[in-house]
Amino acid sequence: MNNKKIQILLQLLLVLAIIIVVNFISVRVFGRIDLTDQKVYTLADASKSLVRSLDDKVTIKAYFTEDLPAPYNNNRRATLDILNEYKAYAGGNLQFEFINPVGEKAEQETREQGVPPVEVQVVEQYKFQVKRAFLGLVFFYEDKKEVMPVVQNLGALEFDISSTIKRLTTRMKKRIGFTSGHQEPALSSLNNANRVVMQQFEPVTIDLSKNEPIPTDLAALLVIAPQTKFSESAKYQLDQYLMRGGKIGFLLNKVNANLQMRVGQNIDLGLEDMLEQYGVRLNPDLVRDAQCANIGVMQQIGPFPVQSQIPFPYIPHASNFDRDNPMVKDLRGVMFHFISSIDTSMATSKGVRTDVLVRSSKQSGRLTGFFTVDPFHRYSKQDLSESDIPLAAVVHGSFKSFFADREPKSSITQSPETRIVVVGDGDFMKDEILGNLDNLTFFANIIDYLADDTGLISIRSKNIAIAPLDPVSDGTKQLLKWGNLLLPPFLIIGYGLIRWRRRVTLKRALESHKPRNDVLRGK
């Protein structure tokens, strides 16, 4: 064998060795470049930490029917990609397999695992047909099992998987208290909110009218939309829970407004003086905002009643968030329903710190005194002359007891470092108000934040939907419109003129260097 053949053989062996090493590294080292704003195609740090901390193996069986048309094939591909990423960070403690349920026996086994078939429309033989398909996940950990029956919302896929793994591997759920005894809505009546709480926590009802101490093992306590005044004994229990380091969310209605009657009435909850002691005040007003939702009203047009959609400033569509706070930093918008403003100016004198979570838009105002909420009222610039009115806030620090200098005397006069969240609307998480905004996400984030479970917040708010365009003025819209219409033809015409001028110049240059006939003849 000559030297040339040996050299070629060595080169081939070197290339083969490089391919083997690259494949070996790629199997064990996972990497991805994600250029999206919210890193929606990359696992959040909370998801990575979750699977890295697994102390035993989690097995996932993905039951997906193959060869489905778009958009259903995207669900399988997205699920495969994200499970590969989970596996890469799990250090061998997460395994998965994809199963194509073909045949009666395989379909029966899939149903028994808790994954039902769904009907999808496919085009076969040039016509629409309904086909039965499976698009579900089953999680196994020790002797426990969790089922995700249908993978449908890819925007929430990471949160669904991470929350399922966390729920499956958590030995004991944290307990979240919800007060009762003052006409608060029962959590069970808030279907969507109840579902969110039940996924990760154990809800506990605390009846403050019975004058019993609040359990110390609660991770957080929520006071949601009470309608009647709190007694001193009920306030004492809330105060002492906070003094022991408890965390409280006050989601309160300060004004009871009725759209049908078009009037509102101030609610005396008896909590106002205690909240001021903690550094925050809930003002007796209603915030109106030019950035608001529409409501349907009946209008008489000639002899016919017609339902019209008109903007109603007392249902603000808030999008002015504190982007540094995990509760709201990734939210797109929250719709409030007759919300009151919040004053945090006295926090410094109380020795605590405040962060305003949500503010009104640049065109807003407040209604005080006699509350009339007429949807047909036309608001002047003066009515909407305020901006950035605080609507929700978090107060954190060491709080002085409200009962430090009054009866009944507080047994604990100063709390350790803790926090409370105050929102001037206790109805935003109700089913009939949710809409298609981030109301439910905001509610869930409040609970996670109070319960020191902020990891899932960063995952829940991730959104793979196409981001809306920034609002622009009418003049800018016209400029962009005519620019799009006229600029391309002008560019093409300009390019043609440049090419034409270059050809003319080249032709002249060639003619200037062409030898004359008399020179060629030797004259």
Side-chain angles (χ1 to χ4, degrees):
M1 186 179 295
N2 57 35
N3 290 337
K4 188 174 182 180
K5 290 183 177 180
I6 293 174
Q7 188 175 5
I8 293 173
L9 180 61
L10 290 175
Q11 289 176 348
L12 290 173
L13 291 174
L14 181 60
V15 171
L16 181 62
I18 292 174
I19 292 174
I20 293 173
V21 170
V22 169
N23 277 276
F24 180 82
I25 294 174
S26 65
V27 169
R28 288 160 176 77
V29 179
F30 184 87
R32 175 179 287 177
I33 299 175
D34 189 348
L35 301 180
T36 58
D37 184 40
Q38 293 188 23
K39 304 300 179 186
V40 296
Y41 297 108
T42 305
L43 286 187
D45 291 338
S47 295
K48 297 174 186 177
S49 299
L50 176 65
V51 294
R52 282 173 179 155
S53 63
L54 292 175
D55 57 1
D56 205 347
K57 186 170 290 187
V58 172
T59 302
I60 303 174
K61 290 187 177 182
Y63 293 92
F64 276 79
T65 302
E66 294 182 358
D67 301 323
L68 290 176
Y72 308 104
N73 56 348
N74 292 336
N75 293 20
R76 187 184 191 281
R77 184 167 57 249
T79 303
L80 177 61
D81 288 344
I82 199 169
L83 288 181
N84 272 320
E85 195 166 354
Y86 274 100
K87 182 180 178 181
Y89 291 107
N93 277 334
L94 188 144
Q95 301 294 329
F96 67 89
E97 63 173 322
F98 272 75
I99 300 170
N100 181 22
V102 176
E104 186 176 342
K105 183 177 180 181
E107 289 188 4
Q108 180 63 30
E109 178 188 343
T110 305
R111 288 193 191 93
E112 290 175 355
Q113 291 289 358
V115 179
V118 294
E119 292 185 347
V120 299
Q121 281 192 339
V122 299
V123 179
E124 291 183 356
Q125 299 178 352
Y126 305 102
K127 62 181 179 180
F128 280 104
Q129 296 183 1
V130 176
K131 185 176 181 179
R132 192 167 55 190
F134 293 91
L135 304 164
L137 299 174
V138 183
F139 298 74
F140 299 91
Y141 177 78
E142 295 179 348
D143 59 344
K144 296 186 287 185
K145 182 177 82 170
E146 286 273 351
V147 180
M148 192 184 301
V150 181
V151 174
Q152 190 172 11
N153 182 4
L154 298 183
L157 183 57
E158 182 186 349
F159 175 76
D160 291 338
I161 292 176
S162 291
S163 59
T164 300
I165 293 174
K166 183 172 184 179
R167 189 163 59 247
L168 196 64
T169 57
T170 299
R171 305 295 179 186
M172 184 177 296
K173 286 184 176 182
K174 292 182 178 180
R175 285 160 40 101
I176 304 295
F178 295 85
T179 64
S180 67
H182 300 86
Q183 297 183 18
E184 299 94 329
L187 184 63
S188 58
S189 67
L190 308 175
N191 296 325
N192 289 287
N194 186 38
R195 174 177 52 81
V196 166
V197 175
M198 293 286 288
Q199 283 180 349
Q200 300 295 335
F201 303 102
E202 178 187 347
V204 180
T205 299
I206 308 297
D207 190 347
L208 293 179
S209 65
K210 295 182 178 179
N211 197 25
E212 296 177 354
I214 298 172
T216 58
D217 64 342
L218 296 181
L221 179 68
L222 272 81
V223 184
I224 301 178
Q227 298 295 309
T228 59
K229 188 173 181 179
F230 281 67
S231 65
E232 290 297 299
S233 61
K235 291 163 62 175
Y236 181 80
Q237 298 305 328
L238 289 171
D239 179 83
Q240 291 303 285
Y241 173 74
L242 185 69
M243 292 304 106
R244 293 192 297 267
K247 302 170 183 65
I248 308 178
F250 292 97
L251 317 181
L252 308 176
N253 294 324
K254 184 59 180 169
V255 177
N256 184 13
N258 188 311
L259 183 57
Q260 301 298 326
M261 302 296 295
R262 301 183 183 181
V263 295
Q265 185 176 4
N266 186 31
I267 303 176
D268 181 13
L269 297 175
L271 297 173
E272 293 78 7
D273 51 356
M274 188 170 72
L275 288 176
E276 289 186 26
Q277 173 63 37
Y278 301 151
V280 62
R281 177 188 296 118
L282 186 61
N283 295 319
D285 59 21
L286 287 178
V287 175
R288 51 185 174 232
D289 199 320
Q291 183 175 299
C292 60
N294 292 334
I295 61 171
V297 295
M298 297 301 297
Q299 291 181 300
Q300 194 75 21
I301 301 180
F304 305 104
V306 178
Q307 186 174 44
S308 304
Q309 294 289 322
I310 63 173
F312 188 54
Y314 293 106
I315 306 182
H317 175 184
S319 59
N320 187 0
F321 300 115
D322 177 7
R323 297 300 177 182
D324 294 326
N325 191 285
M327 279 186 281
V328 294
K329 73 181 186 70
D330 291 322
L331 299 185
R332 294 163 297 167
V334 175
M335 184 185 298
F336 292 110
H337 192 258
F338 295 113
I339 189 169
S340 298
S341 65
I342 290 173
D343 183 0
T344 60
S345 60
M346 70 286 297
T348 302
S349 64
K350 303 296 183 181
V352 294
R353 308 176 304 279
T354 60
D355 296 320
V356 177
L357 301 174
V358 189
R359 297 179 185 270
S360 66
S361 75
K362 301 298 182 183
Q363 293 179 285
S364 54
R366 315 182 208 211
L367 176 65
T368 58
F370 185 71
F371 298 102
T372 57
V373 287
D374 185 358
F376 297 104
H377 180 75
R378 293 184 178 272
Y379 294 92
S380 64
K381 286 186 177 180
Q382 179 142 5
D383 293 329
L384 301 171
S385 59
E386 292 187 75
S387 67
D388 303 326
I389 299 173
L391 307 177
V394 57
V395 189
H396 39 93
S398 176
F399 297 91
K400 181 182 178 181
S401 172
F402 178 65
F403 291 92
D405 303 315
R406 57 189 297 166
E407 296 295 333
K409 278 285 186 180
S410 173
S411 57
I412 309 173
T413 58
Q414 195 77 26
S415 79
E417 186 78 15
T418 187
R419 54 199 172 207
I420 64 175
V421 172
V422 180
V423 182
D425 177 16
D427 299 325
F428 71 90
M429 79 298 295
K430 291 185 175 180
D431 297 335
E432 61 269 23
I433 297 173
L434 291 179
N436 59 353
L437 298 176
D438 292 326
N439 289 38
L440 201 59
T441 301
F442 182 38
F443 176 71
N445 287 352
I446 289 174
I447 296 177
D448 285 343
Y449 182 81
L450 291 173
D452 287 324
D453 200 6
T454 57
L456 290 179
I457 294 178
S458 61
I459 312 171
R460 183 185 288 114
S461 303
K462 289 173 73 171
N463 174 39
I464 67 170
I466 298 175
L469 297 175
D470 293 332
V472 295
S473 65
D474 291 338
T476 304
K477 290 178 184 178
Q478 291 296 322
L479 180 64
L480 292 173
K481 172 185 173 181
W482 289 108
N484 287 332
L485 287 173
L486 301 177
L487 186 60
F490 275 119
L491 289 175
I492 294 173
I493 294 172
Y495 178 71
L497 289 172
I498 292 172
R499 288 290 303 270
W500 174 69
R501 290 301 305 168
R502 288 183 62 186
R503 292 183 66 178
V504 170
T505 303
L506 181 61
K507 182 179 179 180
R508 289 176 178 174
L510 290 174
E511 288 178 348
S512 65
H513 290 83
K514 184 177 180 180
R516 294 182 302 176
N517 290 336
D518 57 348
V519 174
L520 292 175
R521 292 172 183 165
K523 293 182 180 180

